[in-house]
Amino acid sequence: MLEQAATRVLTCIQCGKCTGSCPESGRTPFNVRMLVRKKQFQAAVDEALPWYCTSCGACTIRCPRDVKPSEVIIELRSKLVEDGDIPVALQKALENTFVQKNPWGRSRNKRADWVEKIDFEVPHVSETQSKRLLFVCCIQAYDPRCMVIPVNVARLFHAGGLEFGILGEEEACCGNEIRRIGEAGLFEELEEENKAAFEEYGVKEIVALSPHCMNVLKKEYGDMGIKVVHYTELLAPLIEEGTIKLPGSFGKKVIYHDPCFLGKQNGIFDEPRSILRAVPGLDLLEFSRSREVSLCCEGGGGRMFFEVEATYQRNAEVRVLDAVDRGAEIIATACPFCVMTLEDPATEKGLAVKELSEILMEVL
Ligand code: SF4
Ligand code: SF4
């Protein structure tokens, strides 16, 4: 992979499309084109710079020479990880993931505690006919704000007659953020552990709750011969064909924020919108920058676990101001990281942030 990167960076023509599309460029010291240039010459890089990248993927999508600048950043980070030159909070997240298989270091045997909030039994995937696995992952399993997502999605699947199971304590962190922090070795361990469980229990389909998990399971675990989807891809047709009925009403102006790992990186733009359009009474609005050019919330690439020094306006604040301009009352999204980054600035401006399943539960 390193040789491949070395060859790739040599094809860079310094056109600047990567920097032009980067949500961190212009208002921070970070310049991805310059870092690719430095990689071309194997020149020294200021160790603070690679951590600004949010892994939004915009640069890699726009690059005309397939340099994959976002992968170049991961390689620069790998070197810093190897040398121990990484922010303390990230080091802690890596250690926690090594020990407890989640970046927050919460006990692994509490990974399935969210099922206690459900009034029907959620089986182990091995006990299902469908071998459809609901891949919950860390933030949804442990964070009190995000734990509502698996609870809601489980209820919605139940309402739609969709059979599914979980791995419970046997599930490990998907590793999407770990790979992007630059810890390739730990990522491989997580990948092997999860793949062994998928194989042992004959998993045929994986439904991810977070776009970050969906991305890594679908594109970076190699060819597992298992279908991987985001939960909105299963819910959209069930709602459209009327299998899941939404009898309530949600009379609010809702603006949809495209998560980078769902939208621009995996092309899932329509399913979340089709779900929102099916909610009775809901008035769906669009940001000035939406779909392929949606502005990153800055929650990815390890930024959930540490704060970069910032004297500038956060993207989440820019996003909230745009939502206010458009007349929105609620920002809806389909990613736990987006919920976490948008919620504080939104609350300050009197807006609510809702994960899509939260809106659905209000009208189910
Ligand atoms: S977009 Fe690609 S070719 Fe252009 S400067 Fe960036 S890395 Fe180089
Ligand atoms: S992945 Fe996004 S944040 Fe990172 S360098 Fe590319 S455009 Fe910038």
Side-chain angles (χ1 to χ4, degrees):
M1 186 171 203
L2 280 176
E3 286 90 347
Q4 282 171 3
T7 320
R8 281 199 325 266
V9 291
L10 293 178
T11 67
C12 169
I13 49 170
Q14 289 287 296
C15 69
K17 282 196 172 187
C18 49
T19 298
S21 61
C22 178
E24 300 306 292
S25 115
R27 60 210 176 93
T28 78
F30 181 77
N31 180 327
V32 58
R33 179 188 59 79
M34 286 286 291
L35 291 180
V36 171
R37 188 74 170 153
K38 291 207 170 196
K39 180 88 178 162
Q40 277 182 327
F41 290 99
Q42 300 295 325
V45 168
D46 176 341
E47 66 197 41
L49 292 180
W51 306 110
Y52 280 94
C53 169
T54 66
S55 296
C56 75
C59 53
T60 288
I61 294 164
R62 304 274 169 82
C63 174
R65 302 300 297 261
D66 198 28
V67 173
K68 297 187 173 66
S70 53
E71 291 292 318
V72 173
I73 300 296
I74 295 175
E75 284 143 21
L76 292 171
R77 289 175 169 188
S78 294
K79 177 80 177 62
L80 296 173
V81 169
E82 241 175 72
D83 297 345
D85 272 339
I86 79 167
V88 178
L90 283 179
Q91 185 63 46
K92 191 77 196 144
L94 294 176
E95 283 165 15
N96 286 337
T97 309
F98 180 71
V99 179
Q100 293 291 354
K101 310 300 170 189
N102 70 85
W104 291 277
R106 299 286 305 279
S107 167
R108 190 169 187 180
N109 60 24
K110 293 194 177 304
R111 207 169 171 97
D113 278 9
W114 62 273
V115 298
E116 288 163 17
K117 298 190 188 326
I118 293 184
D119 51 11
F120 55 87
E121 205 192 323
V122 178
H124 189 277
V125 67
S126 61
E127 293 159 16
T128 62
Q129 288 277 316
S130 59
K131 300 288 185 275
R132 178 182 294 116
L133 170 68
L134 185 67
F135 195 88
V136 180
C137 218
C138 312
I139 192 162
Q140 280 98 190
Y142 296 110
D143 186 273
R145 173 66 184 89
C146 296
M147 207 187 261
V148 69
I149 304 171
V151 173
N152 291 345
V153 173
R155 285 182 178 146
L156 288 157
F157 282 2
H158 194 64
L162 205 72
E163 193 208 29
F164 67 94
I166 56 171
L167 280 173
E169 293 170 28
E170 291 168 271
E171 181 189 277
C173 172
C174 70
N176 190 69
E177 303 308 290
I178 303 302
R179 188 174 98 70
R180 281 158 181 77
I181 291 170
E183 226 311 2
L186 179 56
F187 168 66
E188 275 164 28
E189 273 181 41
L190 298 167
E191 178 193 358
E192 273 166 29
E193 189 171 333
N194 280 325
K195 273 160 99 170
F198 301 158
E199 204 180 317
E200 183 177 351
Y201 301 121
V203 170
K204 290 195 182 128
E205 181 177 6
I206 301 174
V207 187
L209 294 175
S210 164
H212 293 248
C213 310
M214 182 201 67
N215 180 73
V216 77
L217 291 164
K218 194 165 159 176
K219 302 204 315 211
E220 291 165 7
Y221 269 40
D223 185 11
M224 301 189 284
I226 301 174
K227 189 176 172 200
V228 179
V229 295
H230 184 251
Y231 84 85
T232 53
E233 294 179 272
L234 290 190
L235 283 185
L238 287 175
I239 292 171
E240 215 163 286
E241 73 204 19
T243 309
I244 296 178
K245 296 195 175 18
L246 307 174
S249 178
F250 196 85
K252 301 257 187 229
K253 290 184 191 312
V254 176
I255 197 158
Y256 176 67
H257 165 81
D258 287 283
C260 295
F261 278 85
L262 194 63
K264 60 170 77 78
Q265 294 201 38
N266 283 286
I268 301 174
F269 299 109
D270 296 331
E271 288 84 348
R273 287 174 170 83
S274 127
I275 291 172
L276 287 168
R277 277 195 203 100
V279 173
L282 187 150
D283 187 2
L284 182 61
L285 309 173
E286 291 285 348
F287 280 99
S288 52
R289 280 183 266 183
S290 79
R291 298 178 71 99
E292 287 86 354
V293 293
S294 175
L295 182 66
C296 171
C297 77
E298 296 183 295
R303 295 277 291 269
M304 278 310 292
F305 316 120
F306 88 113
E307 294 272 334
V308 292
E309 256 181 64
T311 50
Y312 55 88
Q313 191 178 37
R314 300 284 178 148
N315 283 347
E317 291 164 26
V318 175
R319 214 62 178 144
V320 169
L321 291 177
D322 193 19
V324 171
D325 263 10
R326 301 255 143 184
E329 297 164 277
I330 289 176
I331 302 176
T333 190
C335 169
F337 291 179
C338 298
V339 170
M340 299 297 272
T341 51
L342 291 166
E343 199 147 65
D344 278 355
T347 310
E348 254 178 50
K349 297 283 174 204
L351 268 68
V353 174
K354 287 193 185 283
E355 205 277 340
L356 226 136
S357 69
E358 294 182 280
I359 295 179
L360 289 176
M361 285 312 293
E362 289 194 30
V363 291
L364 189 71

